[in-house]
Amino acid sequence: MEKRQHRRIPFRRRVYLIRREGDEQLLESSDFSLTGMAVLSKRSVQVGEKVWLRFEVNTLGKHRQLNVQAEIRHVDLTPHCYRVGVNFLEAR
């Protein structure tokens, strides 16, 4: 049974994941919803960790950079990388 409140859509973008200590990692997103997204990572992250995500969206033909605080909700190991599910907390 699906637990999500909002439908996820395919969303391929470069996403920068920034940890509290300033470590920045370039990732790729796979899908997006109003409340979260999934990103693909070569390195594991901790469930419950709060991070900042920076990525661009195109709204009405204009590129806009978003900075969103997120919480790591789950990490799944795939054959080639980690699939990381994040929940959005705050945007700037």
Side-chain angles (χ1 to χ4, degrees), residues 11-24:
F11 186 76
R12 298 277 185 195
R13 298 283 191 284
R14 281 190 255 173
V15 176
Y16 292 89
L17 182 143
I18 302 109
R19 291 187 153 125
R20 286 188 182 192
E21 60 274 358
D23 177 38
E24 189 170 300

Side-chain angles (χ1 to χ4, degrees), residues 37-53:
M37 73 179 358
V39 294
L40 306 175
S41 174
K42 296 289 183 188
R43 300 186 320 203
S44 181
V45 292
Q46 294 294 321
V47 172
E49 182 178 0
K50 291 189 173 58
V51 297
W52 283 94
L53 302 174

